[in-house]
Structure formats: structure tokens, C-alpha cells
Amino acid sequence: GQQLNQSPQSMFIQEGEDVSMNCTSSSIFNTWLWYKQDPGEGPVLLIALYKAGELTSNGRLTAQFGITRKDSFLNISASIPSDVGIYFCAGDMEYGNKLVFGAGTILRVKS
Amino acid sequence: NAGVMQNPRHLVRRRGQEARLRCSPMKGHSHVYWYRQLPEEGLKFMVYLQKENIIDESGMPKERFSAEFPKEGPSILRIQQVVRGDSAAYFCASSPQGRGTEAFFGQGTRLTVV
């Protein structure tokens, strides 16, 4: 089946540092999404990207949809303790009804 | 405006029992999606339903699993004769139209099979 390779698997950073994570695939995606999941909760959408090359920001978060449509990255600037959680990329291949998720990046922030 | 409501939040079942997971979509949403998340993995699509119809069940295991979304009431994911490998978090999402990219997720049901 379709797979998204998400890296890094985990990060342990100092408060105030910038964070970067990315997803790649061998398949083309029409939409890229980035979610955050807190322990015991469901995923919450952070950023949605709909066009190749698109760069979108949401506060301290910035994400880009790769030109080849096979990759995306998420940057978090000036991390704070509440950024702790698991970040997932997800893609939609068919303008349709199901998403393919990466395995997640666990972010830990040291204050 | 309440979000997607799932219950129970936690469910413990013995091997061989049945598990019923419920999902009430957001108000005005008639499209429901179920995903499963195994420990330390991403979510995996299971099934997409509209009211009274299963649209895409390509991610559903062939046996023991079924889903419905009746005209009235919540969507139900049913797992018969549970096994330890069914232990996971099950998430429901809903959208106003059939775009999975516009779906909101519930808090999930954590199923533990003992």
C-alpha cells in the first residue's frame, strides 16, 4: 500500500530552538496535511496544503508542499513546552475520502 | 457546537467478546471515516460511510469487522470475537462533504483486549 516516510522519528530539543520535520513518498499526493496529536487525544489539523510549491504559515508553524508532490516539510520556530506531542503528516492521493498517514515524529521540549 | 464524539473512551474486552465503538459526527456532517492506530504507528484508514451507505471499506479486515452509519443515531464500528491484535486506538472523523482532507477527528476509543 501507499507509504509516507516521516522523519525524524523523535526529537528532543531545547525550548526556543527551531524544529524541522519532513515526509516523503514514492507516490504523488494531491493534498498534504500536518496534524498534532496530544497523549490520549485525536489528531488536530495544523496546516493543509493543496498546491505543489505552496508555502503556508500558521503562527510559528510553516509547511510546504514539495514541487514534485512527493514530499512536504513542517517547521516550528522558537519551540515552547506546549509544542510537545506527536506530529503526523498525511496525504490524500485521490481527492477522495481516505488519508495516508506517516508514522509520526515525537517532539519533546526541554525547558 | 460539539465536536466528533466517540464513546466509550476506553474499552476492555476479553478475547472472544464483541466490541462496539460509537461515533457521533459533528452537527451537519453526514460523512464518517474510521481509522485505527496501533501503538507507536500512524493512523490507518479503515472505512468511509455516508448515512446508510458504506462507500469505501478498502481498509477493513475481511473478517470480524463491520461498520454502519444508520439514518438515525451514531456510526458503529463492530469487532466480533476480538483478539489481542485488535488492541489499538480507533478514531472516527466526520466531514460535511466527502472530503477526507476536511474531516475533524474525535478523541478516539482505546480498545484493550485481555
Side-chain angles (χ1 to χ4, degrees), chain A residues 31 33 35 37 40-43 88 92 96-99 101-103, chain B residues 9 33 35 37 42-43 45 48 56 58 91 100-101 105-107 110:
Chain A
T31 307
L33 306 166
Y35 291 87
Q37 184 178 30
E41 301 293 330
F88 291 99
D92 167 20
N97 47 63
K98 57 190 173 190
L99 299 176
F101 279 80
Chain B
R9 292 289 308 276
Y33 317 79
Y35 288 80
Q37 184 179 31
L43 282 71
F45 171 81
Y48 161 47
D56 182 349
S58 58
F91 291 96
T101 54
F105 282 85
Q107 293 178 303
R110 272 115 190 116

Tab-separated table of all heavy atoms in Angstrom, chain A residues 31 33 35 37 40-43 88 92 96-99 101-103, chain B residues 9 33 35 37 42-43 45 48 56 58 91 100-101 105-107 110:
chain	number	residue	atom	x	y	z
A	31	THR	N	-2.898	16.403	-1.862
A	31	THR	CA	-3.033	17.248	-0.682
A	31	THR	C	-2.081	16.725	0.378
A	31	THR	O	-1.940	15.511	0.537
A	31	THR	CB	-4.476	17.193	-0.122
A	31	THR	OG1	-5.410	17.501	-1.155
A	31	THR	CG2	-4.646	18.173	1.023
A	33	LEU	N	-1.239	17.220	4.563
A	33	LEU	CA	-1.771	17.748	5.805
A	33	LEU	C	-0.776	17.469	6.926
A	33	LEU	O	-0.076	16.444	6.906
A	33	LEU	CB	-3.113	17.074	6.153
A	33	LEU	CG	-4.186	17.122	5.075
A	33	LEU	CD1	-5.296	16.139	5.396
A	33	LEU	CD2	-4.763	18.516	4.948
A	35	TYR	N	-0.736	17.198	11.173
A	35	TYR	CA	-1.553	17.099	12.381
A	35	TYR	C	-0.655	17.039	13.612
A	35	TYR	O	0.487	16.581	13.550
A	35	TYR	CB	-2.393	15.811	12.371
A	35	TYR	CG	-3.500	15.752	11.355
A	35	TYR	CD1	-3.265	15.288	10.053
A	35	TYR	CD2	-4.803	16.117	11.691
A	35	TYR	CE1	-4.285	15.220	9.129
A	35	TYR	CE2	-5.831	16.040	10.765
A	35	TYR	CZ	-5.557	15.588	9.496
A	35	TYR	OH	-6.575	15.507	8.579
A	37	GLN	N	-0.931	15.414	17.600
A	37	GLN	CA	-1.713	14.565	18.486
A	37	GLN	C	-1.116	14.639	19.888
A	37	GLN	O	0.066	14.331	20.093
A	37	GLN	CB	-1.712	13.114	17.988
A	37	GLN	CG	-2.588	12.185	18.801
A	37	GLN	CD	-2.602	10.760	18.261
A	37	GLN	OE1	-1.645	10.294	17.677
A	37	GLN	NE2	-3.698	10.056	18.471
A	40	GLY	N	-3.517	10.678	24.427
A	40	GLY	CA	-4.902	10.365	24.740
A	40	GLY	C	-5.932	11.133	23.939
A	40	GLY	O	-7.133	11.048	24.240
A	41	GLU	N	-5.489	11.853	22.938
A	41	GLU	CA	-6.413	12.671	22.137
A	41	GLU	C	-6.358	12.271	20.669
A	41	GLU	O	-5.502	11.477	20.250
A	41	GLU	CB	-6.043	14.157	22.268
A	41	GLU	CG	-6.075	14.693	23.686
A	41	GLU	CD	-7.485	14.734	24.253
A	41	GLU	OE1	-8.447	14.898	23.477
A	41	GLU	OE2	-7.624	14.579	25.488
A	42	GLY	N	-7.278	12.837	19.890
A	42	GLY	CA	-7.252	12.606	18.462
A	42	GLY	C	-6.377	13.629	17.759
A	42	GLY	O	-5.983	14.645	18.341
A	43	PRO	N	-6.038	13.378	16.501
A	43	PRO	CA	-5.217	14.333	15.748
A	43	PRO	C	-5.970	15.641	15.505
A	43	PRO	O	-7.170	15.634	15.231
A	43	PRO	CB	-4.967	13.621	14.415
A	43	PRO	CG	-5.394	12.217	14.614
A	43	PRO	CD	-6.400	12.203	15.700
A	88	PHE	N	2.077	14.336	12.851
A	88	PHE	CA	1.870	13.419	11.739
A	88	PHE	C	1.700	14.186	10.444
A	88	PHE	O	0.984	15.190	10.393
A	88	PHE	CB	0.596	12.584	11.940
A	88	PHE	CG	0.669	11.577	13.045
A	88	PHE	CD1	0.125	11.848	14.283
A	88	PHE	CD2	1.277	10.354	12.834
A	88	PHE	CE1	0.185	10.921	15.303
A	88	PHE	CE2	1.343	9.406	13.852
A	88	PHE	CZ	0.792	9.698	15.092
A	92	ASP	N	-3.401	12.831	0.715
A	92	ASP	CA	-4.590	12.368	0.015
A	92	ASP	C	-4.204	12.186	-1.451
A	92	ASP	O	-3.808	13.149	-2.102
A	92	ASP	CB	-5.710	13.391	0.174
A	92	ASP	CG	-6.865	13.152	-0.770
A	92	ASP	OD1	-7.002	12.021	-1.276
A	92	ASP	OD2	-7.631	14.096	-1.002
A	96	GLY	N	-10.026	12.303	-2.522
A	96	GLY	CA	-11.156	11.485	-2.089
A	96	GLY	C	-11.307	11.410	-0.606
A	96	GLY	O	-11.188	12.390	0.100
A	97	ASN	N	-11.585	10.211	-0.185
A	97	ASN	CA	-12.127	10.078	1.141
A	97	ASN	C	-11.160	9.511	2.156
A	97	ASN	O	-11.505	9.431	3.319
A	97	ASN	CB	-13.353	9.173	1.054
A	97	ASN	CG	-13.065	7.935	0.234
A	97	ASN	OD1	-12.234	7.134	0.602
A	97	ASN	ND2	-13.739	7.777	-0.893
A	98	LYS	N	-9.970	9.097	1.770
A	98	LYS	CA	-9.107	8.484	2.770
A	98	LYS	C	-7.724	9.120	2.755
A	98	LYS	O	-7.205	9.529	1.723
A	98	LYS	CB	-8.989	6.984	2.553
A	98	LYS	CG	-8.481	6.567	1.200
A	98	LYS	CD	-8.643	5.063	1.045
A	98	LYS	CE	-8.308	4.628	-0.366
A	98	LYS	NZ	-8.691	3.222	-0.609
A	99	LEU	N	-7.167	9.199	3.961
A	99	LEU	CA	-5.842	9.760	4.142
A	99	LEU	C	-4.850	8.650	4.437
A	99	LEU	O	-5.174	7.656	5.084
A	99	LEU	CB	-5.850	10.747	5.311
A	99	LEU	CG	-6.778	11.959	5.177
A	99	LEU	CD1	-6.754	12.781	6.458
A	99	LEU	CD2	-6.406	12.804	3.982
A	101	PHE	N	-1.300	8.177	6.438
A	101	PHE	CA	-0.552	8.864	7.484
A	101	PHE	C	0.883	8.368	7.559
A	101	PHE	O	1.163	7.179	7.333
A	101	PHE	CB	-1.205	8.622	8.853
A	101	PHE	CG	-2.384	9.507	9.128
A	101	PHE	CD1	-3.627	9.217	8.592
A	101	PHE	CD2	-2.250	10.628	9.937
A	101	PHE	CE1	-4.725	10.026	8.842
A	101	PHE	CE2	-3.341	11.443	10.200
A	101	PHE	CZ	-4.574	11.144	9.655
A	102	GLY	N	1.795	9.284	7.923
A	102	GLY	CA	3.132	8.886	8.296
A	102	GLY	C	3.119	8.289	9.699
A	102	GLY	O	2.100	8.313	10.394
A	103	ALA	N	4.278	7.783	10.124
A	103	ALA	CA	4.360	7.108	11.424
A	103	ALA	C	4.502	8.090	12.581
A	103	ALA	O	4.400	7.697	13.749
A	103	ALA	CB	5.514	6.121	11.437
B	9	ARG	N	-14.546	6.010	25.751
B	9	ARG	CA	-13.163	6.447	25.524
B	9	ARG	C	-12.198	5.289	25.723
B	9	ARG	O	-11.167	5.198	25.071
B	9	ARG	CB	-12.800	7.576	26.484
B	9	ARG	CG	-13.533	8.879	26.234
B	9	ARG	CD	-13.062	9.568	24.953
B	9	ARG	NE	-11.616	9.732	24.884
B	9	ARG	CZ	-10.933	10.724	25.422
B	9	ARG	NH1	-11.563	11.676	26.098
B	9	ARG	NH2	-9.615	10.796	25.284
B	33	TYR	N	-15.597	8.626	8.821
B	33	TYR	CA	-14.414	7.827	8.484
B	33	TYR	C	-13.905	7.170	9.766
B	33	TYR	O	-13.875	7.814	10.816
B	33	TYR	CB	-13.290	8.708	7.912
B	33	TYR	CG	-13.759	9.742	6.912
B	33	TYR	CD1	-14.360	10.926	7.335
B	33	TYR	CD2	-13.613	9.533	5.550
B	33	TYR	CE1	-14.808	11.874	6.429
B	33	TYR	CE2	-14.054	10.473	4.627
B	33	TYR	CZ	-14.650	11.640	5.081
B	33	TYR	OH	-15.094	12.577	4.178
B	35	TYR	N	-10.559	5.200	11.482
B	35	TYR	CA	-9.130	4.905	11.369
B	35	TYR	C	-8.702	4.107	12.589
B	35	TYR	O	-9.269	4.252	13.670
B	35	TYR	CB	-8.312	6.204	11.323
B	35	TYR	CG	-8.416	6.987	10.041
B	35	TYR	CD1	-9.498	7.814	9.782
B	35	TYR	CD2	-7.404	6.916	9.080
B	35	TYR	CE1	-9.586	8.538	8.603
B	35	TYR	CE2	-7.478	7.638	7.897
B	35	TYR	CZ	-8.574	8.452	7.673
B	35	TYR	OH	-8.654	9.170	6.504
B	37	GLN	N	-5.241	3.100	14.978
B	37	GLN	CA	-3.867	3.471	15.288
B	37	GLN	C	-3.287	2.441	16.238
B	37	GLN	O	-3.697	2.357	17.403
B	37	GLN	CB	-3.792	4.865	15.913
B	37	GLN	CG	-2.371	5.347	16.165
B	37	GLN	CD	-2.327	6.739	16.767
B	37	GLN	OE1	-3.223	7.148	17.507
B	37	GLN	NE2	-1.278	7.492	16.457
B	42	GLY	N	1.253	5.402	12.831
B	42	GLY	CA	0.294	6.376	12.333
B	42	GLY	C	-1.078	5.753	12.183
B	42	GLY	O	-1.274	4.564	12.382
B	43	LEU	N	-2.038	6.595	11.840
B	43	LEU	CA	-3.404	6.117	11.659
B	43	LEU	C	-3.532	5.405	10.312
B	43	LEU	O	-2.939	5.810	9.315
B	43	LEU	CB	-4.389	7.283	11.704
B	43	LEU	CG	-4.732	7.841	13.074
B	43	LEU	CD1	-3.582	8.606	13.687
B	43	LEU	CD2	-5.962	8.757	12.975
B	45	PHE	N	-6.413	4.038	7.546
B	45	PHE	CA	-7.799	4.129	7.122
B	45	PHE	C	-8.470	2.766	7.171
B	45	PHE	O	-7.887	1.747	6.763
B	45	PHE	CB	-7.849	4.675	5.688
B	45	PHE	CG	-9.204	4.611	5.047
B	45	PHE	CD1	-10.155	5.587	5.315
B	45	PHE	CD2	-9.528	3.579	4.186
B	45	PHE	CE1	-11.409	5.534	4.711
B	45	PHE	CE2	-10.782	3.523	3.582
B	45	PHE	CZ	-11.714	4.498	3.849
B	48	TYR	N	-15.083	4.302	5.084
B	48	TYR	CA	-15.740	5.592	4.885
B	48	TYR	C	-17.222	5.327	4.651
B	48	TYR	O	-17.583	4.508	3.794
B	48	TYR	CB	-15.103	6.305	3.700
B	48	TYR	CG	-15.918	7.421	3.063
B	48	TYR	CD1	-16.545	8.395	3.847
B	48	TYR	CD2	-16.038	7.498	1.678
B	48	TYR	CE1	-17.274	9.410	3.243
B	48	TYR	CE2	-16.755	8.510	1.076
B	48	TYR	CZ	-17.379	9.467	1.860
B	48	TYR	OH	-18.085	10.470	1.271
B	56	ASP	N	-16.510	3.196	1.047
B	56	ASP	CA	-15.170	2.631	0.819
B	56	ASP	C	-14.770	1.856	2.058
B	56	ASP	O	-14.611	2.446	3.118
B	56	ASP	CB	-14.171	3.769	0.535
B	56	ASP	CG	-12.761	3.281	0.240
B	56	ASP	OD1	-12.454	2.093	0.445
B	56	ASP	OD2	-11.944	4.122	-0.196
B	58	SER	N	-12.115	-0.359	1.935
B	58	SER	CA	-10.882	-0.998	1.479
B	58	SER	C	-9.881	-1.257	2.592
B	58	SER	O	-8.986	-2.083	2.445
B	58	SER	CB	-10.227	-0.140	0.387
B	58	SER	OG	-9.958	1.159	0.859
B	91	PHE	N	-10.143	5.753	15.828
B	91	PHE	CA	-10.575	7.142	15.683
B	91	PHE	C	-11.642	7.251	14.615
B	91	PHE	O	-11.555	6.631	13.557
B	91	PHE	CB	-9.391	8.043	15.317
B	91	PHE	CG	-8.396	8.212	16.414
B	91	PHE	CD1	-7.263	7.431	16.470
B	91	PHE	CD2	-8.614	9.159	17.416
B	91	PHE	CE1	-6.343	7.579	17.498
B	91	PHE	CE2	-7.698	9.312	18.448
B	91	PHE	CZ	-6.563	8.519	18.494
B	100	GLY	N	-12.030	13.692	2.778
B	100	GLY	CA	-11.322	13.273	3.981
B	100	GLY	C	-10.358	14.323	4.483
B	100	GLY	O	-10.031	14.345	5.666
B	101	THR	N	-9.919	15.188	3.596
B	101	THR	CA	-8.981	16.244	3.996
B	101	THR	C	-9.656	17.323	4.835
B	101	THR	O	-8.984	18.161	5.420
B	101	THR	CB	-8.367	16.904	2.756
B	101	THR	OG1	-9.423	17.356	1.903
B	101	THR	CG2	-7.481	15.937	2.000
B	105	PHE	N	-11.398	15.008	13.660
B	105	PHE	CA	-11.270	13.754	14.376
B	105	PHE	C	-11.850	13.830	15.783
B	105	PHE	O	-11.793	14.878	16.443
B	105	PHE	CB	-9.791	13.346	14.487
B	105	PHE	CG	-9.233	12.762	13.229
B	105	PHE	CD1	-8.741	13.580	12.223
B	105	PHE	CD2	-9.194	11.383	13.034
B	105	PHE	CE1	-8.227	13.050	11.045
B	105	PHE	CE2	-8.690	10.841	11.865
B	105	PHE	CZ	-8.203	11.668	10.873
B	106	GLY	N	-12.371	12.703	16.234
B	106	GLY	CA	-12.774	12.563	17.622
B	106	GLY	C	-11.577	12.208	18.491
B	106	GLY	O	-10.442	12.113	18.010
B	107	GLN	N	-11.864	12.007	19.776
B	107	GLN	CA	-10.786	11.729	20.722
B	107	GLN	C	-10.370	10.263	20.732
B	107	GLN	O	-9.387	9.905	21.352
B	107	GLN	CB	-11.220	12.158	22.130
B	107	GLN	CG	-11.375	13.666	22.269
B	107	GLN	CD	-11.854	14.047	23.654
B	107	GLN	OE1	-12.908	13.596	24.107
B	107	GLN	NE2	-11.092	14.864	24.336
B	110	ARG	N	-9.949	3.764	23.014
B	110	ARG	CA	-8.821	2.876	23.206
B	110	ARG	C	-9.314	1.503	23.623
B	110	ARG	O	-9.848	1.348	24.713
B	110	ARG	CB	-7.858	3.439	24.255
B	110	ARG	CG	-6.815	4.365	23.649
B	110	ARG	CD	-6.975	5.806	24.163
B	110	ARG	NE	-6.123	6.716	23.403
B	110	ARG	CZ	-6.601	7.695	22.635
B	110	ARG	NH1	-7.893	7.908	22.564
B	110	ARG	NH2	-5.780	8.470	21.961
